[in-house]
RNA sequence: GCCAGCGUAGCUCAGCUGGUAGAGCAACUCAUUCGUAAUGAGUAGGUCUAGGGUUCGAAUCCCUACGCUGGCUCCA
């Protein structure tokens, strides 16, 4: 006898016999908002699904976050349908959902632009209004190939031919039929809130040897507010763009004609960078690191030995002198290895934690450079830890402590990902096993949640990546910790154990900021240019009301400067409103306004960049407060915190 | 590198179907000496990314190069 199917909905359990989910639900009289279900903890199905005997399905409604993939996937089909109606001869490739929306790749003789997107949106709205029911059915392989050949859909035919199944899942909504695994919502009228965002090129199957198709990106949400919030986030991100704010705040400039993909840090940007470096040095010294400086240009032979010449040559810059070929370093590890090798090491020396703010150059294809985020020259806050196998775990714990401390400073929550042995790995299974276990137990020891990416490690060792989440919800990969068995092997690194025999150390590569440039870019966008006082290029600006107060302003400025505060004085003959506006736009944390009242009482009127007027206070009082704020590296103004 | 869009003053942008460049802000000068987000007047500033072509005439049309933007790909 057959087992019953169990459905779970709103905490209630229903037992039923076989059939298509849609019909089962109708018979049970369950809420019409149900659009699909979840089997186990991952497989999503829609109402066309026919449950197997004994299967347990948790039903999901259209307004739940879990239904998002169905919602957006159907939206992608509606977009495709609209395109099919509007443009003749369109050939469809793939149209999946992605993190914040969906896209569809199409092959179309006409190149689409913004106006076309509006037209497509209009047609999509029509399709939604038409409330077309979706149908699902299967075709036999040959039948499907013939069907899509007749419809002149070569990409679909290619997809089918690559699939090793005898039957293919097909969805149809009115005049549009697509090869599709699903799942979908049952009707086009169920979806509503969407927006098409952009068109761009994308290679068929991501291979640059293939034809370039047009990819149309869109986003969709069940709730209109969520769509609005998402669009607002995009807008906010645009406003915070570091490539815009950076030059506006006089932090850095780019000169693509002179040095494409490289950064010119202005005095103000340099202050931020030096503050980050200062913090970094202090913490690394405390954590037992030694700092080194290695050459920018090293002989090609070194890079051959390290393996970079074989694996990384295309990304390297070379230069020639005295008939010798040199490479500009793309990584710091070989330099550190040279230092390690200058003497014999004992187990007592380990772990040896060698760090360097090492500027590296990597050739990046012209289309990919992007402000501070993706440069051709950047400075890594790099370190290599040479240690014994059994020290790995405690070293990892130490690194994570450092990372945690650093990210907390900026208020970045973060996610951790562990990547394990890939197929093309080098090194024995035992070593991989042991080190992966060491990484895991370090994470568990610290009680950290993490996601495992099986097979995603580097070929030379497993790694842990850290993704920070910025103030508008975007995530960025910054820190990474990578174990390396290969380099010690290639360079024949040794240390003498307590057993008086030679052992091979393990190398741990790690960065915390990642790259100073990129991290500064992230900070600019995270804070929208309004940096905490300790890294703010100008911490306070003195604004005299009129010329009569300039002398007093200079005196105040001097006092602050003597206390180590970065201060400016705006002596221009402008109205106070004008000066405030400018200081505000420059995001200076504190404006110190001085006029007759302040002169008489030997005080200053303090205004915060938030617009809040703190009223007047004695100069020494302000200096004490801001000094504490700077010293303690507060995220927010001390006047708001306390 | 590839696809698409774009390139006009330091910045933001006008400049219709070709008739030899315009605004606001910033800068500079002068006046103003002002109490919490823009005082007024004046001055200066452009080989319209570069090179070629079509034309009596090109910022405008065409071609090429370079750069930028959004993606593909890659990555810190």
């Amino acid at each position: 006898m057959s087992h019953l199917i169990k459905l779970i909905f709103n905490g209630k359990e229903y037992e039923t016999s076989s059939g298509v989910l849609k019909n089962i639900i109708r018979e049970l009289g369950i809420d019409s908002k149900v659009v699909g279900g979840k089997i186990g903890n991952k497989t999503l199905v829609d109402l066309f699904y026919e449950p197997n005997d004994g299967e347990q399905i948790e039903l999901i409604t259209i307004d739940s976050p879990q239904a998002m993939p169905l919602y957006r996937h159907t939206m992608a089909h509606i977009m495709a349908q609209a395109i099919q109606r509007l443009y003749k001869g369109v050939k469809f490739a793939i149209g999946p959902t992605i993190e914040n929306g969906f896209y569809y790749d199409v092959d179309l003789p006409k190149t689409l632009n913004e106006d076309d997107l509006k037209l497509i949106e209009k047609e999509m709205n029509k399709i939604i209004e038409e409330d077309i029911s979706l149908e699902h059915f299967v075709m036999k392989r040959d039948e499907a190939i013939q069907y899509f050949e007749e419809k002149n859909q070569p990409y679909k035919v290619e997809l089918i031919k690559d699939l090793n199944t005898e039957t293919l899942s097909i969805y149809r909504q009115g005049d549009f039929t697509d090869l599709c695994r699903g799942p979908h919502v049952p009707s086009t009228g169920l979806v509503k809130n969407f927006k098409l965002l952009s068109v761009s090129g994308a290679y068929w199957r991501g291979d640059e040897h293939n034809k370039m198709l047009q990819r149309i990106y869109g986003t969709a949400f069940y709730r209109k507010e969520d769509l609005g919030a998402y669009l607002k986030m995009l807008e906010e991100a645009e406003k915070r763009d570091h490539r815009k704010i950076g030059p506006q705040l006089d932090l850095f400039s780019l000169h693509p004609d002179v040095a494409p993909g490289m950064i010119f840090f202005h005095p103000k940007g340099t202050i931020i960078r030096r503050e980050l470096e200062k913090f970094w040095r202090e913490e690394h010294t405390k954590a037992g690191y030694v700092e080194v400086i290695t050459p920018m240009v090293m002989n090609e032979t070194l890079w051959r030995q390290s393996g970079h010449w074989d694996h990384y040559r295309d990304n390297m810059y070379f230069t020639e002198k005295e008939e010798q070929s040199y490479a500009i370093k793309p990584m710091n590890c070989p330099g550190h290895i040279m230092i390690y090798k200058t003497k014999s090491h004992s187990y007592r020396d380990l772990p040896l934690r060698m760090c360097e703010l090492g500027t590296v150059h990597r050739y990046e294809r012209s289309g990919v450079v992007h402000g501070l985020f993706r440069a051709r020259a950047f400075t890594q806050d790099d370190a290599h830890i040479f240690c014994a196998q059994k020290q790995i775990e405690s070293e990892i714990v130490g690194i994570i402590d450092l990372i945690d401390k650093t990210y907390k400073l900026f208020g970045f929550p973060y996610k951790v990902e562990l990547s394990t042995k890939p197929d093309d790995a080098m090194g024995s299974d035992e070593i991989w096993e042991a080190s992966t276990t060491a990484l895991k137990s370090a994470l568990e020891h610290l009680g950290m949640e993490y996601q495992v990416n099986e097979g995603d490690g580097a070929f030379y060792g497993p790694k842990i990546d850290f993704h920070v989440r910025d103030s508008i919800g975007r995530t960025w990969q910054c820190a990474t910790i990578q174990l390396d068995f290969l380099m010690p092997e290639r360079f024949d690194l040794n240390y003498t154990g307590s057993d008086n025999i030679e052992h091979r150390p393990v190398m741990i590569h790690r960065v915390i900021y990642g790259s100073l440039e990129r991290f500064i870019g992230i900070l600019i966008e995270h804070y929208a240019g309004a940096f905490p006082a300790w890294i703010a290029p100008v911490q306070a600006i003195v604004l005299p009301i009129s010329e009569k107060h300039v002398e007093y302003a200079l005196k105040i400025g001097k006092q602050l400067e003597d206390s180590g505060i970065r201060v400016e004085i705006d002596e221009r003959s402008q109205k106070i409103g004008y000066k405030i506006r400018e200081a505000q736009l420059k995001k200076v944390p504190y404006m110190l306004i001085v006029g007759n009242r302040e002169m008489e009482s030997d005080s200053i009127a303090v205004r915060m960049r938030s617009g809040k007027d703190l009223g007047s206070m004695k100069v020494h009082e302000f200096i004490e407060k801001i000094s504490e704020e700077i010293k303690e590296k507060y995220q927010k103004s001390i006047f708001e915190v306390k």
Side-chain angles (χ1 to χ4, degrees):
Chain A
M1 75 156 253
S2 70
H3 295 280
L4 289 174
I5 295 155
K6 194 194 268 179
L7 301 181
I8 303 172
F9 181 62
N10 272 349
K12 272 204 247 170
E13 290 188 5
Y14 300 84
E15 298 210 323
T16 128
S17 52
S18 58
V20 177
L21 206 48
K22 197 184 206 165
N23 300 333
I24 298 176
I25 286 170
R26 196 186 305 131
E27 281 162 24
L28 290 172
I30 290 177
D31 194 319
S32 61
K33 271 185 159 178
V34 171
V35 288
K38 214 173 176 187
I39 304 170
N41 221 357
K42 43 184 167 208
T43 313
L44 275 176
V45 295
D46 58 25
L47 297 183
F48 301 109
Y49 182 71
E50 200 167 333
N52 297 310
D53 286 348
E55 214 156 46
Q56 178 172 319
I57 300 177
E58 194 185 337
L59 299 179
I60 54 180
T61 52
I62 192 163
D63 52 356
S64 82
Q66 311 205 70
M68 220 54 262
L70 281 72
Y71 194 90
R72 288 177 175 156
H73 203 166
T74 300
M75 204 55 99
H77 276 213
I78 292 172
M79 179 170 79
Q81 185 173 17
I83 293 168
Q84 182 182 269
R85 286 186 183 178
L86 293 169
Y87 307 94
K88 283 207 166 70
V90 57
K91 294 173 189 139
F92 294 105
I94 56 164
T97 58
I98 50 176
E99 198 184 340
N100 288 307
F102 60 89
Y103 68 80
Y104 216 116
D105 283 350
V106 299
D107 185 357
L108 194 62
K110 178 190 186 328
T111 56
L112 300 169
N113 58 34
E114 296 286 309
D115 294 336
D116 291 308
L117 290 191
K118 288 202 189 87
L119 278 176
I120 297 168
E121 280 182 353
K122 224 173 142 187
E123 191 63 36
M124 285 172 73
N125 278 320
K126 258 195 231 164
I127 295 167
I128 290 168
E129 252 173 64
E130 288 168 25
D131 193 11
I132 306 165
S133 289
L134 273 74
E135 301 163 60
H136 178 243
F137 49 94
V138 292
M139 274 190 191
K140 288 233 161 55
R141 190 184 169 81
D142 295 343
E143 195 189 346
I145 290 174
Q146 197 194 344
Y147 178 79
F148 283 105
E149 264 172 358
E150 275 168 16
K151 292 192 68 164
N152 193 21
Q153 291 296 343
Y155 300 103
K156 296 294 176 190
V157 173
E158 198 180 321
L159 287 172
I160 296 168
K161 284 184 175 165
D162 282 359
L163 284 171
N164 272 330
T165 51
E166 262 321 297
T167 56
L168 294 136
S169 161
I170 311 279
Y171 280 83
R172 177 190 291 150
Q173 56 198 56
D175 50 7
F176 178 73
T177 310
D178 200 0
L179 169 76
C180 181
R181 195 190 301 127
H184 282 281
V185 299
S187 167
T188 63
L190 291 170
V191 297
K192 199 170 3 189
N193 303 305
F194 73 99
K195 173 125 179 78
L196 301 188
L197 299 171
S198 62
V199 204
S200 63
Y203 299 104
W204 166 234
R205 303 199 140 174
D207 185 338
E208 60 186 317
H209 303 293
N210 287 340
K211 183 165 184 184
M212 175 140 325
L213 309 172
Q214 299 188 66
R215 173 170 299 177
I216 304 152
Y217 284 94
T219 189
F221 290 85
Y222 176 73
R223 283 157 36 113
K224 196 170 186 171
E225 303 91 87
D226 292 339
L227 175 66
Y230 179 70
L231 295 176
K232 207 157 174 214
M233 193 278 281
L234 291 181
E235 226 174 84
E236 185 60 31
E238 209 179 313
K239 264 194 261 167
R240 288 168 180 248
D241 193 328
H242 71 278
R243 292 166 304 175
K244 210 170 158 185
I245 294 186
Q248 259 168 20
L249 297 182
D250 201 14
L251 303 178
F252 66 87
S253 56
L254 303 168
H255 303 270
D257 41 342
V258 175
M262 308 200 189
I263 322 295
F264 292 72
F265 277 100
H266 293 13
K268 286 185 173 149
T270 305
I271 287 171
I272 296 175
R273 179 152 161 180
R274 293 299 183 225
E275 286 294 343
L276 295 179
E277 291 175 358
K278 202 172 135 207
F279 170 76
W280 184 87
R281 280 209 172 87
E282 287 165 4
E283 292 305 321
H284 279 69
T285 306
K286 281 190 232 164
Y289 284 75
V290 287
E291 187 175 358
V292 299
I293 299 170
T294 62
M296 195 68 84
V297 177
M298 291 178 261
N299 200 292
E300 190 188 297
T301 54
L302 178 74
W303 303 103
R304 284 182 187 270
Q305 194 180 352
S306 69
H308 285 93
W309 207 84
D310 289 332
H311 294 287
Y312 210 68
R313 198 184 349 168
D314 290 346
N315 289 300
M316 292 166 69
Y317 289 98
F318 291 94
T319 176
E320 229 170 85
K321 277 288 172 208
E322 295 174 335
E323 289 165 31
Q324 289 288 315
S325 175
Y326 295 87
I328 302 169
K329 70 172 171 186
M331 292 186 197
N332 300 302
C333 20
H336 295 180
I337 289 172
M338 293 310 291
I339 295 176
Y340 183 88
K341 279 183 78 74
T342 53
K343 59 183 177 192
S344 54
H345 290 273
S346 136
Y347 70 97
R348 295 173 199 275
D349 300 339
L350 305 186
L352 175 58
R353 311 187 186 96
M354 211 185 274
C355 66
E356 176 176 14
L357 291 167
T359 302
V360 296
H361 287 71
R362 298 180 186 175
Y363 168 74
E364 300 279 1
R365 305 210 277 183
S366 57
V368 307
V369 294
H370 181 94
L372 297 180
F373 286 166
R374 190 79 184 277
R376 284 179 174 162
F378 57 94
T379 303
Q380 294 180 302
D381 63 321
D382 211 354
H384 294 95
I385 297 172
F386 301 87
C387 68
Q389 178 80 32
K390 64 169 188 274
Q391 292 172 322
I392 292 176
E393 185 180 333
S394 61
E395 284 311 298
I396 301 297
V397 170
I399 296 166
I400 295 176
D401 275 345
L402 213 47
I403 290 170
D404 187 68
K405 189 162 189 188
T406 305
Y407 291 174
K408 281 216 172 88
L409 196 53
F410 303 100
F412 285 133
Y414 58 90
K415 270 191 337 218
V416 181
E417 289 179 11
L418 172 70
S419 299
T420 62
K421 190 176 179 217
D423 294 339
D424 61 344
M426 68 83 55
S428 70
D429 281 351
E430 294 78 60
I431 275 199
W432 271 91
E433 175 71 36
S435 3
T436 309
T437 308
L439 293 185
K440 277 187 183 159
S441 48
L443 289 169
E444 271 146 32
H445 177 86
L446 289 163
M448 308 198 85
E449 276 184 29
Y450 61 95
Q451 182 192 320
V452 178
N453 295 332
E454 296 289 350
D456 233 15
F459 67 94
Y460 50 77
K463 61 172 183 173
I464 305 178
D465 293 324
F466 293 76
H467 299 257
V468 306
R469 185 183 184 84
D470 73 10
S471 58
I472 56 171
R474 296 171 302 174
T475 60
W476 310 91
Q477 205 226 296
C478 291
T480 168
I481 304 173
Q482 306 188 348
L483 292 189
D484 184 355
F485 322 120
L486 179 62
M487 285 287 170
E489 204 67 46
R490 289 192 99 124
F491 283 93
D492 191 27
L493 303 185
N494 294 302
Y495 70 92
T496 310
S498 58
D499 52 6
N500 198 30
I501 46 175
E502 299 272 277
H503 296 274
R504 186 126 289 165
V506 176
M507 268 176 90
I508 305 173
H509 307 245
R510 46 109 287 186
V511 287
I512 291 175
Y513 292 134
S515 103
L516 267 310
E517 287 78 0
R518 186 176 145 89
F519 199 77
I520 290 169
I522 294 167
L523 289 183
I524 293 173
E525 305 205 355
H526 177 57
Y527 292 121
F531 301 103
W534 73 279
I535 43 174
V538 180
Q539 295 165 324
I541 184 162
V542 189
L543 308 178
I545 299 272
S546 81
E547 219 162 71
K548 288 180 290 190
H549 313 112
V550 168
E551 201 183 321
Y552 180 67
L554 289 168
K555 193 184 114 196
I556 303 290
K558 180 78 171 49
Q559 282 181 52
L560 266 71
E561 208 178 282
D562 288 347
S563 307
I565 293 154
R566 294 187 288 267
V567 63
E568 277 183 2
I569 298 139
D570 190 345
E571 328 176 23
R572 293 172 305 172
S573 66
Q574 285 290 356
K575 287 169 69 170
I576 193 66
Y578 181 89
K579 294 183 189 177
I580 285 171
R581 181 182 144 83
E582 281 224 328
Q584 192 96 30
L585 292 174
K586 284 193 204 147
K587 321 249 181 193
V588 178
Y590 296 104
M591 287 158 245
L592 313 179
I593 293 139
V594 295
N596 286 333
R597 293 206 290 269
E598 288 72 26
M599 262 170 82
E600 282 158 22
S601 58
D602 197 28
S603 61
I604 49 181
V606 183
R607 184 190 211 267
M608 298 198 292
R609 69 181 153 204
S610 62
K612 193 173 172 196
D613 186 354
L614 293 175
S616 74
M617 65 179 82
K618 295 284 182 199
V619 183
H620 72 85
E621 193 188 337
F622 175 73
I623 290 178
E624 268 166 39
K625 290 278 196 190
I626 193 176
S627 297
E628 184 191 333
E629 181 177 339
I630 292 164
K631 184 166 166 276
E632 300 299 328
K633 301 183 169 59
Y634 290 148
Q635 278 265 6
K636 290 208 170 122
S637 167
I638 189 167
F639 297 101
E640 282 174 333
V641 172
K642 295 195 171 169

